[in-house]
Amino acid sequence: MTLLVTCAPGLEKLLAAEVSALLARLDLTGLTVSVAADGVRVELGTADAQSVLGALNLGLGLATSVRVELGSFSASQFPQLVRKLKQLEWKTWIPRGVAVDVRVRSLRSRLYHTKAIADRTRRAIAEALGVPSVDALEPDSTEPHARVHVDGSENQFSVSVDTSGEPLYRRGDRLATGKAPLRADLARALVVASGWAGDTPLGDPFCGAGTVMIEAALLASGRSPGAGRAFAFEAAPCFDPKRFAAVRERMSAATRAELPRLLGSDRDAGVIESARDNAERAGVAKLITFTVAAVSDAPVFTDGTLGARTLVTNPPYGLRVGDVRTLQNLYQRVGTLVRDLPVGSRAVLLTPPARVRDLGLQLERAFESNHGGQHVVASLASR
């Protein structure tokens, strides 16, 4: 069996390392992890599929979804496509009685009409499940549904079922957000890219609703990012609740009680209240200190007792937050503050490429991705 773990563009290598480390921590062996175009492929080999699915959905902080590949085949005509779709193990993964959301991508293939491919896929599923009418599988946004992906390229099609449901970066705890919320997976990627291992104080002077700080606390304490939510595969006919419960228990026990100081600050008192609420829901409120402060007064810069420290932040871009006319001065100020950090400190900043030069720092590019439709780059500075 093959799993495809998807992620935001640019995070593939970081995700592969996270997958490998997670599976090794749980002694899940007999499988192969490799970087793919859209994320990471996991060939299960002799590994227990239920345990691996549970571990990946619960424990991955950089992923978007975990999919089970049902099959891969070539097709250049619709009768051929339908025949091969009918041969797949739909009964194992699709609950009878739920709608099916079919998402199609087809590039450089003779079968390119995505709606027609989706219709044929839904009909094949209806026949496999014994559903009398294909209309019963039409998805409604208000109803639970299974998600199927059909990805075609040059007449080669791969069909997979999403086992996650809601994207994995929706942890279920960040109900309150600021004006330009950072996705949890990107926040964790910044922390990972900084090289932080929970060995120095960590701060974010533009913390907003606290996403970077919460992800740092989850990462360092060993808490599972997905511990507070449910997953689509829990409704699958093949789901084994006892095995999943055993994985949950093993992963909940892997926590670290003492952490270095975690310092989040923002000049907006309202978003600081939101950050505290979000941290409380995530179970890490006692691990983080949130402060109302302008960037120049942020504790990560001004607290002389911290020694070498790590700064991880996502400054305003001048789109939804910040005035583009004063943005250059802000970035120059941030660059000066970073240069004044104690020797041994590190800083990672997620910014639009055009703003990197304004920092005035010697920077190493950690990764590139997209944030709210904006191309962004994570830059690393070391003192």
Side-chain angles (χ1 to χ4, degrees):
M1 181 183 291
T2 300
L3 306 180
L4 175 61
V5 186
T6 66
C7 64
L11 304 189
E12 294 86 357
K13 291 183 180 180
L14 293 176
L15 176 60
E18 183 183 40
V19 169
S20 297
L22 174 63
L23 297 177
R25 192 182 94 194
L26 297 175
D27 297 322
L28 292 169
T29 59
L31 39 72
T32 304
V33 177
S34 59
V35 175
D38 297 324
V40 173
R41 295 181 72 83
V42 182
E43 305 288 345
L44 293 188
T46 60
D48 175 62
Q50 293 273 340
S51 297
V52 174
L53 275 176
L56 296 180
N57 276 293
L58 280 169
L60 292 179
L62 300 176
T64 301
S65 68
V66 180
R67 303 179 192 169
V68 174
E69 188 176 277
L70 299 190
S72 182
F73 51 80
S74 60
S76 56
Q77 297 179 343
F78 278 116
Q80 186 182 27
L81 175 73
V82 171
R83 184 174 69 253
K84 293 185 177 181
L85 284 170
K86 289 180 178 180
Q87 296 171 359
L88 302 179
E89 293 292 328
W90 298 110
K91 287 185 178 180
T92 302
W93 297 100
I94 305 294
R96 199 174 190 277
V98 303
V100 180
D101 178 13
V102 181
R103 301 191 176 185
V104 179
R105 179 177 58 181
S106 185
L107 303 173
R108 300 182 299 279
S109 297
R110 291 188 65 184
L111 300 178
Y112 59 86
H113 195 295
T114 57
K115 186 178 185 303
I117 295 171
D119 289 343
R120 264 67 166 194
T121 303
R122 203 172 284 112
R123 289 178 193 173
I125 296 172
E127 184 173 319
L129 300 183
V131 176
S133 170
V134 70
D135 293 338
L137 299 183
E138 287 288 347
D140 184 321
S141 61
T142 64
E143 298 291 335
H145 59 266
R147 184 173 296 123
V148 172
H149 293 265
V150 181
D151 295 306
S153 178
E154 298 180 343
N155 300 323
Q156 188 72 23
F157 289 85
S158 174
V159 182
S160 59
V161 175
D162 179 13
T163 71
S164 302
E166 283 288 312
L168 292 177
Y169 56 76
R170 294 181 183 169
R171 313 284 196 236
D173 51 59
R174 259 136 285 187
L175 304 182
T177 62
K179 296 178 183 177
L182 180 65
R183 277 177 28 173
D185 52 346
L186 288 178
R188 179 169 289 227
L190 289 175
V191 176
V192 172
S194 74
W196 186 69
D199 52 350
T200 63
L202 181 143
D204 179 359
F206 299 101
C207 76
T211 305
V212 166
M213 304 310 304
I214 293 170
E215 289 301 310
L218 290 173
L219 183 63
S221 65
R223 287 168 168 81
S224 298
R229 51 161 288 174
F231 305 99
F233 78 95
E234 294 179 72
C238 66
F239 176 65
D240 186 334
K242 290 185 179 179
R243 288 188 185 179
F244 188 47
V247 173
R248 271 193 184 275
E249 185 176 357
R250 287 188 65 189
M251 297 184 69
S252 66
T255 58
R256 171 181 166 188
E258 295 186 10
L259 297 179
R261 294 175 64 186
L262 300 178
L263 305 168
S265 58
D266 197 286
R267 67 179 183 179
D268 187 328
V271 298
I272 287 295
E273 281 304 309
S274 297
R276 292 186 179 122
D277 291 343
N278 290 335
E280 186 70 39
R281 279 186 288 269
V284 295
K286 294 181 180 179
L287 304 177
I288 308 169
T289 301
F290 288 109
T291 306
V292 178
V295 61
S296 295
D297 299 319
V300 68
F301 292 127
T302 62
D303 192 331
T305 68
L306 299 179
R309 64 205 73 181
T310 302
L311 179 140
V312 180
T313 194
N314 174 220
Y317 299 167
L319 299 176
R320 286 174 291 180
V321 176
D323 183 344
V324 69
R325 293 170 298 180
T326 60
L327 208 59
Q328 184 175 17
N329 290 337
L330 174 64
Y331 274 72
Q332 289 173 346
R333 179 59 181 152
V334 171
T336 299
L337 291 167
V338 170
R339 277 195 301 273
D340 291 339
L341 289 174
V343 173
S345 298
R346 294 166 70 84
V348 170
L349 304 99
L350 187 69
T351 69
R355 300 265 71 93
V356 174
R357 183 178 298 179
D358 294 337
L359 293 166
L361 297 168
Q362 289 282 89
L363 296 167
E364 174 186 342
R365 186 157 294 191
F367 64 83
E368 296 180 54
S369 192
N370 293 308
H371 176 214
Q374 170 86 32
H375 179 210
V376 290
V377 57
S379 303
L380 173 65
S382 300
R383 287 283 295 121

